[in-house]
Structures are given as C-alpha cells and as structure tokens.
Amino acid sequence: MTTTTPVSNGLRDFYEDPAVPVASGTPRSLRQARMLAAALGPATAGAKTVLDIGCGDGTAAATAAPFLAGHRLVGVDWSQDALRRAHARLPYAVRGELTDGGLPFKSATADAVLFSEVIEHLVDPDGALDEIRRVLRPGGHLMLSTPNLAAWYNRALLLAGVQPVFSEVSLRAIHGRPGTEVVGHLRLCTARALRELVTASGFEVVRLRGAPFHGVPRPLRPLDRLACAVPSAASLLLLHARRT
C-alpha cells in the first residue's frame, strides 16, 4: 500500500503517482480480512475501531468491510491523492503520518490496525510500530502484511545470482530481477525477521500465515498457492499480533 513515511521530495512524489501499484492482489486482502474478522468477533459484542494505516486508495479496507459489518473502519494515509481515491470506497479517510508528530489519534483508542504492504516502504519501521502500539488499546490487534524476502522463488533466484522479486535498487526502473513494476520497496523481511521485529516492538505474535502474489506467472500460480501452507516460503506474509 501507499507508504506513510516519505524520506525526500523525490520519494514523496513517487508515492503520489497514481500509477504506482498499491496492493498485491485480492487473495491477500481477503485472507487478511478474514483473520481480522475472526480476531474482532461480531459487532453485536460492541463496535470496534479499526484503523487502516497506509490505506492507499482504500482497496484493502473496502475488501475487509463486508467482513467487519458494524465495526468502525477508518482509512489513514499521508498522500492527498490516495485519500481522494479512498473516499470513494470508505466512509472515513483522514490524513496522518507515522512520523512528524504521529497519527491524529489519542493513545489507546484503536482496537485493531490494518498495516497492509506498508512496512516494506519505511525508513524507520521501529518508529512506525511504536506509533501503532501507542494508538492501540492493550490487547489490540495488529494485522500486518508484507512481501516475503525468502519466498520460494526468491531462494532459487538468489542461487542463480538474480535480484529477488520485491527488492529494488532504483525508483526509476527494474534492474537485475524479473518484473516490470517499480513500487518503492526499501526493506524486506523473512518470516523469522518479521516475528522478531514485531516482538521487539512490544507485540505478541498470535499467528503467521502465507498468501499468494498476483504477479506470479500464471503457470506457477498453483505452486504459489501450495507454498502458502509453509508461511516462511510463501510470497506474502500475513502476521496477526496483539499489543502487550
């Protein structure tokens, strides 16, 4: 999704470009939405507040909305262009950043945070997780998704001396790896590294799942779906953690 921590005017301009992809596909969004709905339970037990931080154009939140009926879903992004698009999909979308003063919410006011495909764009993921922990209530849920550096095909590509998928050395063009889209990834995690990072930031990992990636060539997609059974080798990592 659209990042919430720009590091320069050039990178800010890059993320303001509507042509930059902001999601990794519907299968990931659906899996993450079901995980969140199971964690929150039905709204009959009380409406919960869910922040989609780095909501981009609102695609992930809109996909999750039918599973979260009765709960309050709020999109948050720093990009004005992204927010304009998100308003067409979400009832609430507000401007906010994970740095430069933090999110526009009081401490311990959110029950859950969706953090979909954001952390790989951040210069300071530790600070971002600190700010997310601040706005979550004790026991609140973090639903984080990110590309997997150790995806099954990346292991083979590295052995062949090829730059892994999802990793980038330039904002202008793809160099040394398959694919054609530049998406501005700055950091990539393995399943182990993601668990350790989130735990060190004051969260308890509840579950880690895998999800397929829509950019995998069609003949290889059945294999990509099979790899989801082993999250450490899946294309995408879906992590559910709780604020301690």
Side-chain angles (χ1 to χ4, degrees):
M1 306 299 290
T2 301
T3 183
T4 54
T5 306
V7 297
S8 68
N9 288 337
L11 193 54
R12 184 183 288 272
D13 291 343
F14 174 83
Y15 288 121
E16 287 281 10
D17 183 353
V20 173
V22 295
S24 61
T26 302
R28 186 274 298 164
S29 297
L30 285 172
R31 290 183 185 215
Q32 192 172 30
R34 292 187 181 106
M35 289 173 69
L36 177 56
L40 289 179
T44 52
K48 304 294 177 61
T49 298
V50 180
L51 307 181
D52 182 4
I53 297 177
C55 67
D57 64 2
T59 299
T63 301
F67 298 90
L68 303 173
H71 295 302
R72 293 179 291 270
L73 188 56
V74 182
V76 185
D77 209 289
W78 67 265
S79 167
Q80 295 290 5
D81 179 75
L83 290 173
R84 281 191 291 270
R85 289 180 282 160
H87 275 296
R89 296 183 171 96
L90 302 174
Y92 307 105
V94 300
R95 192 178 188 282
E97 300 191 26
L98 289 166
T99 57
D100 298 329
L103 297 167
F105 304 101
K106 294 181 180 179
S107 298
T109 54
D111 298 287
V113 165
L114 269 174
F115 204 41
S116 305
E117 322 258 327
V118 177
I119 200 166
E120 64 270 17
H121 299 274
L122 302 181
V123 173
D124 182 12
D126 305 281
L129 289 171
D130 288 345
E131 180 64 1
I132 288 172
R133 188 175 186 277
R134 181 188 70 78
V135 300
L136 277 173
R137 303 180 194 277
H141 303 278
L142 169 63
M143 296 290 173
L144 185 158
S145 65
T146 190
N148 183 10
L149 176 60
W152 59 275
Y153 40 80
N154 279 346
R155 302 179 189 212
L157 290 173
L158 277 171
L159 285 174
V162 178
Q163 185 84 6
V165 173
F166 306 123
S167 66
E168 297 177 330
V169 298
S170 170
L171 291 178
R172 299 177 181 176
I174 295 298
H175 300 293
R177 72 157 172 84
T180 58
E181 294 181 332
V182 179
V183 292
H185 290 171
L186 304 179
R187 298 182 183 274
L188 291 176
C189 295
T190 63
R192 178 176 177 177
L194 184 61
R195 282 180 176 272
E196 292 184 4
L197 172 65
V198 169
T199 300
S201 298
F203 293 86
E204 178 185 4
V205 175
V206 177
R207 188 178 187 187
L208 184 69
R209 294 187 61 191
F213 175 49
H214 70 87
V216 170
R218 189 172 297 276
L220 296 177
R221 289 180 185 176
L223 183 57
D224 193 40
R225 289 192 292 271
L226 285 174
C228 293
V230 184
S232 61
S235 283
L236 305 172
L237 302 172
L238 307 181
L239 181 139
H240 172 202
R242 299 192 73 173
R243 180 196 186 282
T244 57

